[in-house]
Amino acid sequence: MNAPKNAPASLPFSATAQAATAQAATAQATTAEAVASARVKKLPLCVAMAAPVTKIATFHPASVSSLVQSLPALVALRESFPGAKICSFARAPLVSFLQNFGAVDEVFARPGGDVSGQAALMARLRGGDYDIALSFSQSSNALLLTWATGAEIRAGFVPSRLESFLTHKVEKNGPFSAFCALELAKSVGAHGRGAAPLDFLGIPPEAAQKVQKWLDGAAIPSRFFVVAPSLPRRAPRPKLAVSKGQQSPLDHWNHAIFGAAQSWPCVLAAPEKWEFVAPPDAKPFFNASAKLDALLLAALVAKSSGVLGDESGALELARFFKKPLAQGDFSDVLEKSRHTFGL
């Protein structure tokens, strides 16, 4: 039946048609909600804060490599929330690096296995008035601290044993990377605007002078390379013996370091104490093992002509400073280094 000629065009033709339209809209909304719910872990939605963000807490893993890969995310937070105070919590060897990274306002050391220290930090966090807390670490310790902030928005990676403490979750099943760190920042509404993280780092004069003193004392010239070996977690440590007739990864690495020392001026930058005696015919050589926190390692890599080895922290810093690198273990690092750096 046609509508009366004098009826407004916007009126429905009948109550039945109106009910059918409403029912279809409800079904469509229900379907969309179900699809969105299924994707929530894979595609976290950005946050629309009702009030301005004034304070942000970030919690970092213990490794230098993870710290360096989180820097673009810290810059994105700074650019997206310019008025907020960003407070970062990291292990002691990483603190000085973050203190000299301009995207962060305050830096605090995270306790290790000290239960009383953990409890004291949790109590301090509770009264910190944080709006957003992000954990770049999946550890239970870091997520517990994230929850302790009392922030309305608490973001972190899943799966994790304490993922129920998070309000915003980003799936991460592989190794830590700059990409997943940025995804975590995006989940709380942060978007990078093109600033380079390198522009935010300032090596303080005292750190640069300390490294230069080491180099001068060993007669290291301006063109030198950083040798950065690592040992598997369960490998014999430098002072432990192995079975008779069997060579340990340490033995293999010492052979590779021996070859590097004969080829170029080198600084050995192992993450732990590493006993090594340079050969008599070696180029200028200095052993800085176990003397380097994150900031001093950064100062050393910044002065170097490149990095060779497989220790992830030094390699990430080489990428950060845009230095040549030869990534490999003791079996192939010398060949890769000669191809990359030349003799």
Side-chain angles (χ1 to χ4, degrees):
M1 178 182 292
N2 295 329
K5 291 183 179 180
N6 59 351
S10 59
L11 291 178
F13 293 163
S14 66
T16 302
Q18 185 177 14
T21 302
Q23 186 176 5
T26 301
Q28 185 177 8
T30 302
T31 302
E33 182 179 0
V35 172
S37 298
R39 293 176 177 172
V40 67
K41 281 189 175 181
K42 294 184 178 180
L43 187 63
L45 301 178
C46 294
V47 177
M49 299 292 288
V53 175
T54 60
K55 203 169 183 183
I56 300 171
T58 64
F59 300 92
H60 297 267
S63 71
V64 174
S65 61
S66 295
L67 176 66
V68 175
Q69 291 181 85
S70 70
L71 298 181
L74 291 175
V75 171
L77 289 169
R78 169 52 62 221
E79 291 182 310
S80 301
F81 305 105
K85 176 184 283 189
I86 299 178
C87 302
S88 292
F89 297 81
R91 300 297 188 196
L94 308 181
V95 166
S96 59
F97 184 100
L98 282 169
Q99 287 173 332
N100 290 278
F101 190 68
V104 174
D105 297 297
E106 292 183 349
V107 186
F108 304 93
R110 277 178 55 195
D114 180 8
V115 176
S116 60
Q118 177 86 350
L121 179 55
M122 289 177 66
R124 192 173 70 190
L125 289 169
R126 179 58 66 179
D129 297 322
Y130 292 97
D131 301 301
I132 297 175
L134 298 90
S135 179
F136 293 106
S137 170
Q138 283 176 276
S139 72
S140 296
N141 178 289
L143 293 188
L144 192 60
L145 293 174
T146 302
W147 169 81
T149 62
E152 179 182 354
I153 303 301
R154 301 184 301 276
F157 296 115
V158 294
S160 177
R161 290 176 59 188
L162 298 183
E163 62 184 65
S164 59
F165 286 1
L166 301 173
T167 62
H168 289 66
K169 305 172 185 180
V170 174
E171 279 194 6
K172 184 181 81 67
N173 295 307
F176 191 88
S177 67
F179 175 79
C180 66
L182 279 169
E183 287 298 299
L184 189 63
K186 288 179 182 178
S187 76
V188 301
H191 295 276
R193 300 176 185 177
L198 182 58
D199 295 337
F200 286 79
L201 180 65
I203 303 292
E206 56 271 23
Q209 290 167 5
K210 187 171 185 177
V211 169
Q212 190 60 52
K213 185 177 180 180
W214 292 341
L215 299 176
D216 292 342
I220 304 287
S222 58
R223 185 176 187 267
F224 71 93
F225 297 94
V226 174
V227 183
S230 69
L231 289 177
R233 289 184 180 180
R234 296 186 179 182
R237 310 323 285 178
K239 289 192 175 181
L240 296 181
V242 294
S243 301
K244 186 176 180 180
Q246 180 184 5
Q247 283 195 318
S248 70
L250 173 65
D251 297 324
H252 290 297
W253 256 120
N254 278 341
H255 179 73
I257 298 168
F258 192 96
Q262 290 177 313
S263 302
W264 314 278
C266 291
V267 175
L268 178 60
E272 60 185 69
K273 188 174 182 180
W274 194 292
E275 301 292 345
F276 178 80
V277 178
D281 59 343
K283 306 290 185 181
F285 183 89
F286 180 72
N287 188 347
S289 300
K291 299 179 181 180
L292 300 165
D293 61 9
L295 182 62
L296 288 174
L297 180 59
L300 178 65
V301 172
K303 286 180 176 290
S304 76
S305 299
V307 175
L308 61 114
D310 63 352
E311 200 285 309
S312 57
L315 292 174
E316 284 302 326
L317 283 169
R319 296 184 182 97
F320 181 75
F321 288 112
K322 298 179 174 58
K323 298 287 184 176
L325 60 90
Q327 181 174 356
D329 63 15
F330 51 76
S331 65
D332 59 2
V333 70
L334 275 181
E335 181 181 349
K336 290 182 177 180
S337 299
R338 291 186 177 113
H339 177 76
T340 303
F341 307 136
L343 290 175

